[in-house]
């Protein structure tokens, strides 16, 4: 009988908790951040309004209304990466004003007004749209045109050891030099395909890795 009563008590407590969650009077507002937009924030008199910014964001400037009508403060949570929270509290009902907030990442514009009810307001931003637009902008940028590499300029502008080139083979570089870690070889002007470059060996090192510059990808 004792076990049965304990089970009834646990079920009753869970039911009360569920009712408490469903009856939460708080006003939770999820906002998709947009650069050129203003977010409306209703603040109940006697309650704190909270605006949660992006983790790692740093508030630079806060342009606020009269401190006689509104209380403003900042709070932070987190260990290594801090998340800023903007806290507002109106002194009386029927107040209306605006806030401009600048950070190291973006500008926020808030329209604030006090309401005479018992529902605290919590604003949580969603930045997924902004991140998606930024990614599309980067992806749409044209690829920079690679600057043709000229070993003659590299080898003559810096004091690199320059190799003497001789022989009468079918493939003959125009200039070659070494900076101590890389060997630069200028292909002859008649070479138009990267496959013209033969396998290069150096002493007992065997075949050397190579990288082409100034040719389109095959």
């Amino acid at each position: 009988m004792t076990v049965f009563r304990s089970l009834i008590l646990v079920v009753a407590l869970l039911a009360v908790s569920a009712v408490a969650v469903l009856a939460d009077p708080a006003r939770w507002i999820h906002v998709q951040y947009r650069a050129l937009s203003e977010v409306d924030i209703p603040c109940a008199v006697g309650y704190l309004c909270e605006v949660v910014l992006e983790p790692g964001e740093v508030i630079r400037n806060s342009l606020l209304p009269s401190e006689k009508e509104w209380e403003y403060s900042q709070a932070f949570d987190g260990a290594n990466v801090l998340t800023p929270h903007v806290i507002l509290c109106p002194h009386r009902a029927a107040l209306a004003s605006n806030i401009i907030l600048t950070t190291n990442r973006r500008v926020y514009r808030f329209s604030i007004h006090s309401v005479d009810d018992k529902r605290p307001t919590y604003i949580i931003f969603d930045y997924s749209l902004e991140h998606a637009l930024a990614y599309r902008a980067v992806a749409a940028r044209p690829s920079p045109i690679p600057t043709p590499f000229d070993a003659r300029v590299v080898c003559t502008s810096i004091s690199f050891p320059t190799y003497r080139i001789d022989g009468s083979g079918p493939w003959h570089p125009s200039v070659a030099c070494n900076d101590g870690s890389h060997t630069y070889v200028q292909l002859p002007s008649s070479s138009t395909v990267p496959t013209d470059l033969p396998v290069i060996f150096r002493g007992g090192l065997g075949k050397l890795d190579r990288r082409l510059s100034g040719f389109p990808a095959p």
Side-chain angles (χ1 to χ4, degrees):
M1 180 64 68
T2 302
V3 174
F4 182 71
R5 290 178 178 175
S6 300
L7 290 174
I8 293 177
L9 179 60
V10 170
V11 172
L13 290 174
L14 291 175
V16 171
S17 299
V19 171
V21 171
L22 294 176
D24 183 3
R27 186 184 289 107
W28 296 89
I29 303 176
H30 292 261
V31 179
Q32 184 72 249
Y33 177 82
R34 290 179 172 84
L36 300 178
S37 65
E38 187 177 62
V39 178
D40 181 71
I41 305 179
C43 292
V45 178
Y47 289 84
L48 299 179
C49 290
E50 178 189 24
V51 180
V52 183
L53 305 186
E54 190 176 32
E57 198 162 11
V58 178
I59 297 175
R60 300 296 193 195
N61 299 284
S62 303
L63 306 178
L64 310 172
S66 172
E67 295 182 357
K68 296 180 180 180
E69 298 180 343
W70 295 86
E71 289 185 19
Y72 170 89
S73 60
Q74 298 177 16
F76 304 89
D77 77 90
N80 297 325
V81 179
L82 299 180
T83 299
H85 300 247
V86 174
I87 311 299
L88 298 168
C89 183
H91 289 173
R92 59 182 177 85
L95 294 176
S97 188
N98 69 312
I99 294 178
I100 298 177
L101 201 69
T102 64
T103 74
N104 61 330
R105 298 178 181 173
R106 52 185 66 89
V107 177
Y108 296 88
R109 297 172 178 86
F110 303 124
S111 173
I112 57 176
H113 56 94
S114 60
V115 292
D116 191 11
D117 64 16
K118 306 298 182 182
R119 300 176 62 194
T121 300
Y122 304 104
I123 304 292
I124 301 175
F125 277 98
D126 181 355
Y127 301 94
S128 58
L129 176 62
E130 181 192 52
H131 294 166
L133 293 175
Y135 175 80
R136 292 175 186 172
V138 172
R141 293 176 185 171
S143 301
I145 301 175
T147 302
F149 174 79
D150 193 335
R152 290 170 295 185
V153 175
V154 175
C155 294
T156 55
S157 60
I158 306 176
S159 299
F160 290 164
T162 302
Y163 295 108
R164 179 173 56 87
I165 300 173
D166 55 20
S168 58
W171 189 91
H172 198 278
S174 57
V175 67
C177 65
N178 184 281
D179 64 359
S181 59
H182 299 87
T183 298
Y184 302 91
V185 178
Q186 178 74 40
L187 296 176
S189 58
S190 58
S191 297
T192 57
V193 182
T195 52
D196 284 352
L197 182 63
V199 177
I200 300 177
F201 294 86
R202 180 182 177 187
L205 298 178
K207 180 181 177 181
L208 300 181
D209 293 332
R210 66 189 184 188
R211 182 176 58 188
L212 299 176
S213 176
F215 284 98

